[in-house]
Amino acid sequence: MKKNKSLKIFATLIPLFLIGIMVYLFFSFQKKKEKIEALKNVPSFSLTTIGGTLFTSTNLDNNKIKILVYFSPSCHFCQAEAEELSKSYEDYHNIQWIWVASEPLNEIKEFAEQHKLNNQNNIIWCHDEMATLYRKLAMNSIPYFLVYDKNNYLIKRNSGAIKLEKLINTSDENK
């Protein structure tokens, strides 16, 4: 008799549990979809540059393709990406690079200097205090790349390491 009662309880709880999981997954998917949809155009942001000035989405160069790179100075992949850019920088003067990290400004500045990219006109080094932009854009790894065309429309996003040439080719196709 006790077994029948236990079976009835389980027979009721298991479908309810499964329905609950399905509802949770549905709403999680919807929330992620909304965040991705929000990336289609350059989102508004306000960051501090390594020079101490404010850099916002209104400061973006509308005559250039924009590549937003979220990185960490201690990330080996990020170091490789910066080294690659340093070697081929002259080939990419038509791109505005925005490198963003949540580490302290002095670490970002040292990273930029180490890779000899700190004095380039079209590379902006920014600090994202408390990783606000990182969370806002639903990023999930470092490095993270967002490529926007001249009209500020998203043409590529990439989570994790990628050859810069692959990003550049994507942006060149959409000139």
Side-chain angles (χ1 to χ4, degrees):
M1 195 89 119
K2 271 191 167 182
K3 277 188 179 179
N4 283 342
K5 194 171 190 178
S6 295
L7 285 175
K8 286 181 182 179
I9 291 172
F10 281 128
T12 304
L13 290 178
I14 289 175
L16 288 175
F17 179 71
L18 292 174
I19 290 170
I21 289 175
M22 289 172 53
V23 168
Y24 170 78
L25 291 174
F26 174 77
F27 284 112
S28 294
F29 178 75
Q30 288 298 106
K31 189 173 183 179
K32 185 175 182 178
K33 192 175 176 181
E34 288 171 8
K35 286 186 176 184
I36 290 172
E37 186 70 27
L39 294 176
K40 285 193 175 186
N41 292 303
V42 174
S44 63
F45 61 83
S46 180
L47 303 166
T48 304
T49 68
I50 59 174
T53 61
L54 193 62
F55 184 80
T56 68
S57 49
T58 60
N59 299 117
L60 293 171
D61 188 337
N62 290 327
N63 297 316
K64 293 184 179 182
I65 290 164
K66 287 140 299 273
I67 299 181
L68 190 134
V69 183
Y70 207 99
F71 77 105
S72 171
S74 61
C75 164
H76 297 294
F77 295 116
C78 302
Q79 292 168 10
E81 303 285 6
E83 191 62 35
E84 185 180 345
L85 178 59
S86 181
K87 289 177 183 174
S88 58
Y89 169 77
E90 290 301 320
D91 297 335
Y92 306 124
H93 56 85
N94 63 329
I95 296 172
Q96 183 179 34
W97 299 84
I98 302 96
W99 286 69
V100 183
S102 57
E103 283 75 10
L105 274 170
N106 65 325
E107 289 181 33
I108 299 168
K109 189 173 186 175
E110 286 173 17
F111 181 89
E113 290 170 354
Q114 175 187 353
H115 296 287
K116 297 176 179 60
L117 295 169
N118 55 316
N119 292 319
Q120 306 302 338
N121 291 335
N122 62 327
I123 301 178
I124 296 97
W125 297 90
C126 298
H127 178 241
D128 180 19
E129 192 165 351
M130 299 176 59
T132 306
L133 184 64
Y134 185 84
R135 288 192 314 264
K136 179 179 183 177
L137 300 180
M139 296 178 178
N140 56 8
S141 71
I142 292 176
Y144 195 94
F145 298 88
L146 296 169
V147 182
Y148 291 93
D149 66 12
K150 293 177 184 179
N151 298 315
N152 295 330
Y153 188 77
L154 181 69
I155 53 178
K156 182 162 184 74
R157 68 185 177 93
N158 187 79
S159 177
I162 186 172
K163 288 275 189 196
L164 292 182
E165 183 179 299
K166 196 171 184 178
L167 285 175
I168 305 313
N169 288 340
T170 298
S171 61
D172 286 343
E173 293 168 6
N174 293 288
K175 280 186 180 175

